[in-house]
Amino acid sequence: MTLHLSLTHHFPGFTLQVAFDASPGVTALFGRSGSGKTTVINAVAGLLRPDQGRITANGTVLLDTEAGCDLPAHRRRIGYVFQDARLFPHLTVRQNLLYGRWFAPRRGAMGKDASGKPADFARIVDLLDIAPLLDRRPAALSGGEKSRVAIGRAILSDPRLLALDEPLAALDEARKAEILPYLERLRDELRLPILYVSHAMAEVARLANTIVLMEAGRVTAAGPTAEILSDPATAPGLGLREAGALLVARIDRHEADGLTRLDSAAGPLWLPRVAAPPGTPLRIRILAQDVMLATTRPQDISALNILPATIRDIRPGDGPGALVRLDAGGETILARITRRSADALALAPGKPVFAILKAVSVAQESVGRDG
C-alpha cells in the first residue's frame, strides 16, 4: 500500500507544511520533539483535521479539504497504537484483543490482513507471543507486554495501515530490546503497512524501509532508510552522534569463542554472538564515530573488522570534524574523523582506504533482522 500525503496546518507560533509518499513497508517519521510527527499521524488517523490537505491510502481518499472530503476516523481503517497502550483496564487481554476483532466488521471492514487473508486471532497471538497473557488484566502486565497487546488489538481491527506513535518511548532499554524483534516479525510476516513515529534512531534503523526526516514542521529529507542514514547531508538532522550507515549481511556461523561471523558485500564481519541461526539476513547499523580509517592495511591491532573501501566523498563539518563516505563492495560506510586526520592522510574522493571497526563497538540494538 502507498500513502500519499500533503498537509498544511497552523498552530500558534508553529506551522506544519509537509508532503511525502510512503512506500509499502515501515515508513518512519523521525525528528526531534516538536517537529510535527504526531500531528501528521493524527491527521492520517482522522484525529485532527488540517487547515488544508489531501491524504490517500492505496487510492482511497481519506481527506481532501478542497473537495470537502473528510472520511471519519472509524471508517479510515487506521490501527492506531499510542505511546501509553490505552488498554481497557476492566477487560482481560483476550477481551481486549477480541474487541479489535469485534470492531472490524462493525465499521464495514472485511476482517482481512494486508495479504488478503483473514487476520487470524491465533496467528497474531503467536506472532506477538502473548498466549500466556490472555487471562490477565492490563494492571498485571509489564510495559512491554502492554505494548504487544495494544499492537495485537490494532492489527485485529483489520487496518489498512498501522500507525505507531512512539510505542516504545515509555519503556526502558531492556523492554525496548524485548519488543523490537516482535515488530520485525510483524513487518516481515504480515507485510502490514506501518507508519512509525519515533525520535530514537536505533529503532528506526532496525525497522524502517523508508525515513521521512522532519524538522520544525517541514520534511527535510525522505527516502530509503539506507540512503538517508548514509548521506552526510542528513547528518545534522539526524544528530552527528547518530550518523552512520546500514550494512546488509547474513550469518555465516557462530564460533567457539562467542563471536558470530557475518558475510556481507563489504567483506566478512565479526560481532559478539548474534542470537539467530546461520543463514539469517541482518541489517547492521554502524555508527560513523566507531569507524577508523587507514591508507594501508593495519597489522598487529586488536580490531577484527578491516574492510577495504574507496572514498566517495568528504563533507567537512562546522567544527573540527568531517564525514567520509566510503564504498565497500557496493555497501556504504560512513566514518567520522577530524579534518586534521583527513589532511594528514591526504584523503580525497577515489582514494583506496581501509575501514576499521572493533567487533564490540556494534551494540546489540544496532543489529536487526532484514526483512
Side-chain angles (χ1 to χ4, degrees), residues 79-324:
Y80 202 134
V81 179
F82 298 88
Q83 181 177 326
D84 55 358
R86 302 193 185 185
L87 301 176
F88 298 115
H90 61 293
L91 300 181
T92 65
V93 166
R94 184 190 304 275
Q95 291 167 332
N96 268 281
L97 294 170
L98 289 175
Y99 179 85
R101 165 61 72 212
W102 171 86
F103 188 62
R106 299 280 294 185
R107 64 182 180 189
M110 297 302 294
K112 296 181 181 179
D113 66 15
S115 67
K117 299 177 181 178
D120 181 56
F121 180 90
R123 183 185 181 201
I124 299 306
V125 168
D126 178 63
L127 278 175
L128 294 168
D129 193 22
I130 50 180
L133 312 177
L134 291 176
D135 295 325
R136 297 188 198 174
R137 295 188 188 274
L141 303 179
S142 70
E145 290 167 343
K146 289 177 182 176
S147 294
R148 280 186 277 154
V149 175
I151 292 167
R153 183 178 63 181
I155 294 170
L156 288 168
S157 70
D158 184 37
R160 58 163 50 93
L161 179 146
L162 196 61
L164 306 183
D165 188 8
E166 303 205 43
L168 310 186
L171 305 180
D172 59 28
E173 293 305 315
R175 300 290 78 75
K176 288 181 183 180
E178 169 195 320
I179 293 291
L180 281 169
Y182 295 110
L183 293 177
E184 290 171 339
R185 291 181 67 184
L186 293 177
R187 176 198 64 197
D188 300 340
E189 298 185 34
L190 284 187
R191 297 191 297 278
L192 184 65
I194 298 174
L195 195 60
Y196 193 91
V197 171
S198 179
H199 61 266
M201 181 46 66
E203 300 169 24
V204 170
R206 280 186 61 165
L207 296 173
N209 306 98
T210 303
I211 291 179
V212 177
L213 184 60
M214 295 184 61
E215 185 172 352
R218 302 290 191 274
V219 173
T220 58
T225 300
E227 291 183 14
I228 294 296
L229 293 187
S230 63
D231 185 353
T234 65
L238 298 174
L240 284 177
R241 289 187 174 274
E242 301 289 350
L246 289 182
L247 286 184
V248 175
R250 188 175 297 271
I251 295 179
D252 176 52
R253 63 180 180 269
H254 300 298
E255 302 192 337
D257 60 359
L259 296 177
T260 295
R261 176 191 156 116
L262 311 176
D263 286 334
S264 77
L269 292 168
W270 281 266
L271 299 181
R273 186 177 179 87
V274 178
T280 301
L282 301 175
R283 57 166 70 179
I284 303 152
R285 178 177 173 236
I286 296 178
L287 294 177
Q289 64 187 12
D290 292 332
V291 178
M292 296 178 61
L293 298 180
T295 55
T296 59
R297 188 177 187 91
Q299 302 290 328
D300 301 323
I301 63 170
S302 61
L304 295 176
N305 300 309
I306 303 173
L307 304 174
T310 302
I311 295 176
R312 286 178 56 188
D313 49 51
I314 302 172
R315 184 183 180 93
D318 294 332
L323 283 172
V324 182

